[in-house]
């Protein structure tokens, strides 16, 4: 690959991969000593191995073994959406619940980029009343750290 091709290749990387790499570095730096972090962990939704799952992050506390599954979404939440969903797409929530249930996690986390670095919102908690989902599902907006 020559220098021109290599330079052009940098612009072909989808932003969701850049966001996931940012999260990886951030989590390793901030939580790496306390949590074991697995990236792009794969598994199957069904026992027949008909639907593959691949969540972005799987964190396990090194001492307590408490685990949570997280999925990064490089897209903006719908700011016009003022209902109880807080701009979270129904398909994103279904995906996270599938990951959490199949992984045996009581807590799931959706990570979105912040829409405005000056206005990072507090996490929003959604509770799934189920004997399988005890901790709840969280949605966060993250701003790039400078």
């Amino acid at each position: 690959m020559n220098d021109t091709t290599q330079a052009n290749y940098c612009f072909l990387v989808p932003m969701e991969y850049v966001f996931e790499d940012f999260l990886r570095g951030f989590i390793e730096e901030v939580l790496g000593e306390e949590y074991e972090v697995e990236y792009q962990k794969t598994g199957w939704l069904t026992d027949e191995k008909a639907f593959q799952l691949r969540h972005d992050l799987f964190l396990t506390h090194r001492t307590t073994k408490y685990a949570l599954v997280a999925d990064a979404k490089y897209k903006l939440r719908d700011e016009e959406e003022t209902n109880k969903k807080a701009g979270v797409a129904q398909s994103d929530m279904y995906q996270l619940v599938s990951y959490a249930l199949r992984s045996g996690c009581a807590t799931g986390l959706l990570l979105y980029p912040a829409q405005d670095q000056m206005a990072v919102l507090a996490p929003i908690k959604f509770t799934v009343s189920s004997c399988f989902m005890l901790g709840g599902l969280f949605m966060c907006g993250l701003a790039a750290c400078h």
Side-chain angles (χ1 to χ4, degrees):
M1 188 181 313
N2 64 38
D3 289 338
T4 304
T5 305
Q6 192 172 17
N8 289 337
Y9 179 75
C10 293
F11 294 105
L12 299 176
V13 177
M15 284 305 294
E16 61 263 19
Y17 296 134
V18 174
F19 183 55
E20 288 173 15
D21 283 344
F22 164 76
L23 288 173
R24 176 180 296 173
F26 178 80
I27 288 171
E28 284 177 357
E29 184 176 318
V30 175
L31 300 174
E33 289 183 26
E34 194 172 349
Y35 286 87
E36 177 185 345
V37 184
E38 297 175 76
Y39 303 97
Q40 297 292 323
K41 187 173 179 177
T42 60
W44 297 97
L45 180 60
T46 64
D47 294 342
E48 296 79 18
K49 297 183 180 180
F51 300 94
Q52 187 173 28
L53 299 175
R54 180 173 300 178
H55 38 74
D56 295 324
L57 300 161
F58 190 83
L59 289 84
T60 307
H61 193 273
R62 295 184 190 279
T63 305
T64 66
K65 302 304 179 196
Y66 179 82
L68 68 90
V69 62
D71 202 47
K73 300 294 182 188
Y74 186 76
K75 60 184 176 181
L76 298 179
R77 290 179 291 130
D78 185 358
E79 291 184 59
E80 301 296 318
E81 194 68 50
T82 58
N83 64 18
K84 292 186 245 182
K85 294 181 185 178
V88 176
Q90 188 144 340
S91 60
D92 293 348
M93 187 59 70
Y94 283 164
Q95 186 178 19
L96 183 63
V97 169
S98 296
Y99 291 161
L101 287 174
R102 192 57 175 161
S103 300
C105 293
T107 303
L109 183 64
L110 283 173
L111 301 168
Y112 292 88
Q115 296 178 31
D116 179 355
Q117 287 187 351
M118 300 308 290
V120 177
L121 303 175
I124 298 169
K125 181 178 180 179
F126 296 100
T127 302
V128 178
S129 294
S130 165
C131 60
F132 301 111
M133 297 290 297
L134 302 176
L137 302 172
F138 297 88
M139 186 269 318
C140 294
L142 299 176
C145 300
H146 294 285

